[in-house]
Amino acid sequence: MKDDFQDPARRDALGPRQSRPQTASDWARLEEIGDLHFHASAYATALDYYTQMTDGEVLDALPRDRALPLLRKSVDAMLLLGHLGEADALLDEADALLARTTVMAAPAEAATLAAAFQIRRAIVLRERGRLHDALNLAKRAFAVLALTDEHADVARLQVVMGVCHLRLGRLEKADELFNDGLATFRRIGHDLGVANLLNNLALLDNVRCRWDRALAQLDKALELSQRIGASHLLPMLYLNQGIVLQKTDRLSEARSVLEKGHRLAASLGDRLQQCRLSLACGRLETLGGRLARAEELLLEGQALAAQHSFQREATIADE
C-alpha cells in the first residue's frame, strides 16, 4: 500500500490540492504549509505538499536557491519515514540539478552544496548496510563542511560516521565521534541533535553491557524529546529502551514500552522504526510463549523490510 503522497488520484481528491497552484506565491504558500507539517513531525503530510513541487516542471522552474532547500527537506522527510528508495531517487535529481547549476560556481561553493546531499546519501547507504561506502562518502562531506560554519551538518556527519563504526564493532571510534558531535550540538544549542546523540551513547553503553547507564541516557533523551516536541524520535527511543529492559530481564516493562513504540511508529508512518519494533516485539512475544502474536509481528516486520529494502532488518527477520 502506498502512502497518500504517492497516490495522485487520492492526493488530487484531498481539499488542499483540489486546484493546482498557478503563481509563485501559490507555490510558496504550499511549501510553507509543508514546513508547518514538517516541524510538527507530520512528515508524510509535509511530503505530500513538497512532492507537488518536486515533480517535474515545477522544480525545473524554481531558482537553485529555492530548489535545493526544497529537495533537502523532501529527502529528510523520506529518510524520517524510512522511504529509502524514494530518497535515493530524489538524491539523484539533486545531483543532476547541482551538475546543471553549479558549472559557473566557485569550487568551494559547489563542494559545499554537494556535501549537504552527500550527508543524506550516506544515511541511505548506512541504512542499507553499505557501511564502508557510507563512511567513505561521509568522510568526503566532512572534509568539505569542517571548513565552513555549517556546524549542525558537521555534527550530523559525526553521528553518521559514529553509527557506522558502532555497527562495525569499532566502539572506541564510535565513542569519540558521538562525544564530538554531542559537544557540537550542545555548543550551538541544537536540542534535537543532543537527544539523538544521547540515544546513540545509550546504544554504545548497551553494547558494553552497561545497562543502568544505557537506561539513564535513554531517560534523558526521552525527557528532552518530549520537552521539545520531537515525537518522531520517540519510537526509536522506546525501541532501544525496550531492548535494554529485555536484557535486564524486565520483560513486562519491555513489552509495554515496545508496544507503545510500535503503535506510535505506525501512526507516524515511520516504516523503518515500525519494522524494527515489529521484530523486537515479535522476539519478546516468542520469549513469553505467545507464538501466534509473535508470528504475526515477525511477518509484519519481514514484509516491511522487503517492501522498503531494509536489508539489515531483512537479515534480522530471516534469523
Side-chain angles (χ1 to χ4, degrees), residues 242-243 245-246 250-259 284:
I243 290 171
L245 288 168
Q246 180 180 330
R250 295 158 64 178
L251 301 186
S252 178
E253 292 176 72
R255 188 181 187 211
S256 175
V257 167
L258 290 172
E259 287 179 345
L284 190 57

Side-chain angles (χ1 to χ4, degrees), residues 107-132:
E109 179 190 4
T112 300
L113 291 171
F117 290 96
Q118 289 169 350
I119 301 171
R120 292 154 173 87
R121 180 83 74 179
I123 293 171
V124 173
L125 292 169
R126 184 193 70 194
E127 293 308 318
R128 285 183 160 166
R130 295 171 57 184
L131 300 178
H132 294 288

